[in-house]
Amino acid sequence: MPFSYLSHLYCPKCQKPYASTEIRQLCVCGSPLLADYDLQALKKEWTPGSLKGRSPDLWRYHELLPLSDPGNIVTLGEGMTPLLPMKRLGSDMGIERLLMKDEGVIPTGSFKARGAAVGVSKAKELGVKELAMPTNGNAGAAWALYAARAGIRASIVMPVEAPLITRKECAISGANLNLVNGLIGDAGKMVAQAVKERGLFDASTLKEPYRIEGKKTMGLEIAEQLNWRLPDVILYPTGGGVGLIGIYKALKELAALGWVQRDKFPRLVAVQAAGCAPIVKAWEERKSESEFWADSRTAAFGINVPKALGDFLVLEAVYETEGCAIAVDDAELLEEQARIARLEGAFVCPEGAAAFSAARKLRESSWIKSGETVVALNTGSGIKYPDTVRADAPVLNPGDRIPPA
């Protein structure tokens, strides 16, 4: 069996095919490109039993990943994150079977490591020497660190308000780090200029086709961890939306292989912050693309994306699974973050807290029904966002008694 069953790249808008053996960015029509696999051939060779005994990381699914030579794998041990029952929180919400896919324990502290692992590995295989990307923080940190491991130079541009720890991760990796007094869109314009002038590889969200392949492994893992019985609902904090697009892509590929049933797909929920909710607005208006969201602001900085390049793919995933898009305000998500820590001992990132807050609201409205299995994605560790938590505590002198709780 080949290591990968990657067939080619294609444009989801105009269907134009591209070879996967050369460096590719966007389609000539401006759309992101997606990876396609020879699923009919793979179906004859590959079964769930084939995974038995494989390493507990995302590379266990290498047949459905784009790397042709395992010698080009760049890894820090990413993948196979826990799917944890949240019994006390679920009871508080009225969701009997609430689960958390916890990406906070992955290398670099966020799910961005998945996209970086596969994206950087494929860049290495294609001979990329230097990459550039804009970031809200965690993606830049992950790509900078994985690029360092691969021996690839990285230029990273992030807003000055990005989480401080992500800036330090980029700096310590040796990346060419620059800050912009603006939002990720402003960073993107700077990267586009550098790409044009210096011929760098553009690793911006969905401007290369392989980050999504790393992100889709979240969907593959959820299916495997539930013994190929899919949940009823998956909630995903959505900025650029690559994770949601990837999860839907994984489900479709598993269905084509016959490992899951198409009519059992979970309803996918795109969760956004009220201060930046272009996908929600588009969904409410039944549009296929979103509009730029002016003056965006939220404590969940990772989903502060005013206009996503792949918005049409996010909305397609939501529509085709009969899901929905929902916004939560900062006060709600920060309250949920604290509640999760108190009830479950999990310090989730604000974006992950938004997903749980959305689950609460959807259960209250009965959109989530009694008895349904619900998976919420926590996309990163709360430790990376220390400013979202106040820690006021009394100062005691030696010999003082500890006051009662």
Side-chain angles (χ1 to χ4, degrees), residues 43-245:
K43 186 176 183 178
K44 299 173 183 177
E45 304 285 346
W46 208 42
T47 69
S50 304
L51 300 173
K52 187 176 181 181
R54 291 193 177 183
S55 59
D57 55 36
L58 65 79
W59 297 102
R60 66 195 281 105
Y61 309 113
H62 59 78
E63 288 88 347
L64 277 179
L65 292 174
L67 216 63
S68 61
D69 181 357
N72 289 316
I73 289 176
V74 181
T75 182
L76 290 168
E78 60 288 332
M80 201 46 73
T81 55
L83 188 63
L84 300 171
M86 307 290 275
K87 293 182 179 179
R88 297 184 68 200
L89 184 67
S91 177
D92 187 65
M93 291 183 184
I95 301 175
E96 298 95 326
R97 190 159 163 74
L98 177 65
L99 303 168
M100 174 174 68
K101 181 65 170 166
D102 189 9
E103 296 291 291
V105 301
I106 208 167
T108 79
S110 87
F111 78 117
K112 303 290 188 178
R114 293 181 185 269
V118 176
V120 169
S121 294
K122 190 62 179 180
K124 177 183 176 183
E125 187 163 85
L126 293 172
V128 170
K129 302 301 181 185
E130 184 171 358
L131 61 83
M133 66 181 299
T135 178
N136 268 333
N138 278 318
W143 280 74
L145 289 162
Y146 277 82
R149 188 162 176 81
I152 295 173
R153 295 187 298 277
S155 290
I156 309 293
V157 185
M158 66 173 65
V160 292
E161 292 186 2
L164 180 61
I165 184 60
T166 60
R167 184 189 310 179
K168 293 183 176 182
E169 286 175 289
C170 291
I172 201 167
S173 76
N176 174 25
L177 172 65
N178 293 271
L179 307 178
V180 59
N181 190 19
L183 297 176
I184 191 169
D186 302 298
K189 292 174 184 176
M190 299 173 114
V191 167
Q193 182 179 12
V195 167
K196 183 178 180 180
E197 293 176 351
R198 295 160 50 197
L200 306 181
F201 178 72
D202 193 344
S204 305
T205 301
L206 289 179
K207 288 189 178 179
E208 58 81 42
Y210 302 111
R211 178 192 304 207
I212 189 174
E213 297 303 293
K215 301 287 186 67
K216 83 178 180 188
T217 59
M218 291 184 290
L220 299 175
E221 287 179 18
I222 289 170
E224 184 180 2
Q225 288 170 317
L226 292 175
N227 295 314
W228 314 108
R229 296 184 62 182
L230 298 174
D232 298 290
V233 177
I234 295 178
L235 300 105
Y236 192 85
T238 304
V242 181
L244 189 68
I245 299 166

Side-chain angles (χ1 to χ4, degrees), residues 241-260:
V242 181
L244 189 68
I245 299 166
I247 288 171
Y248 185 49
K249 188 173 189 288
L251 296 174
K252 289 189 292 183
E253 290 171 353
L254 289 175
L257 292 172
W259 293 19
V260 300

